[in-house]
Amino acid sequence: MSEHHEKMTKTTPMQVVFASLGGLIPPLIAIFLIVQLVLSIQHSHVDKDADEALVKTVAERIKPVGEVKVVDANAPKVEKSGEEVFNAVCTACHTSGALNAPKLNNKGDWAKRIGQGYDTLVKNAINGIRGMPARGGAADLSDLEVQRAVVYMANSSGAKFTAPQ
Ligand code: HEC
């Protein structure tokens, strides 16, 4: 054996330390990577939960707006226009002339009735008269809404009433 070869094979304490460290490093790296992997998986789950929580929070923040709108539609009653009331209620009889109801856009049907005057028409529409049910059968209509519907119908057939505000 040459002197050179002897030098190469002789193990110094330093080499033992390095060799030991060298043997430790790969498993340490592996463990480090596994921990990283687990952490990243957990993190992505946390992110997903956080996203869901965010969506919920946003949904809850948006919700009251929708509720306020619903309350607006119901509680502080928004008075419908004459045309809206007509299309919702009165049209059932006053478009076809069912039960001999005076028809929309029919001057002949309305001329004599308009002659009674606005107040009488409104009173009869609110209280009902013969085949005409009180408030057209829609008890939830306000006086104002019935008045507007009367004006809408009568004005379609020759009257020139002013719709109450
Ligand atoms: C179920 C059918 C029906 C519905 C719904 C109805 N009406 Fe009538 N309405 C009649 C009939 C029938 C008459 C004719 C009554 C009569 O003079 O014999 C009439 C007559 C009237 C008159 C004339 C009253 C008069 O003094 O000559 C007015 C005004 C009137 N309706 C308003 C309304 C309004 C406003 C609505 C909707 C809110 C409505 N009606 C819904 C059947 C209906």
Side-chain angles (χ1 to χ4, degrees), residues 82 85-94 97-102 109-110 112-114 116-126 128-138 141-142 145-154:
V85 172
F86 179 86
N87 289 331
V89 180
C90 322
T91 183
C93 301
H94 286 273
L99 307 169
N100 276 330
D109 280 3
W110 280 97
K112 265 171 83 182
R113 297 183 187 272
I114 290 168
Q116 301 175 104
Y118 173 75
D119 290 340
T120 302
L121 287 179
V122 166
K123 194 187 82 194
N124 290 342
I126 289 175
I129 180 171
R130 294 179 291 268
M132 164 69 197
R135 295 174 200 271
L141 288 179
S142 68
E145 287 173 323
V146 175
Q147 284 162 5
R148 285 174 174 175
V150 170
V151 169
Y152 174 74
M153 266 197 281

Side-chain angles (χ1 to χ4, degrees), residues 64-106:
V65 177
E67 278 169 1
V68 168
K69 275 186 186 162
V70 169
V71 168
D72 264 359
N74 295 332
K77 190 168 158 50
V78 176
E79 304 280 348
K80 290 198 262 303
S81 72
E83 187 176 357
E84 284 168 345
V85 172
F86 179 86
N87 289 331
V89 180
C90 322
T91 183
C93 301
H94 286 273
T95 293
S96 64
L99 307 169
N100 276 330
K103 293 190 285 292
L104 187 76
N105 296 319
N106 189 312

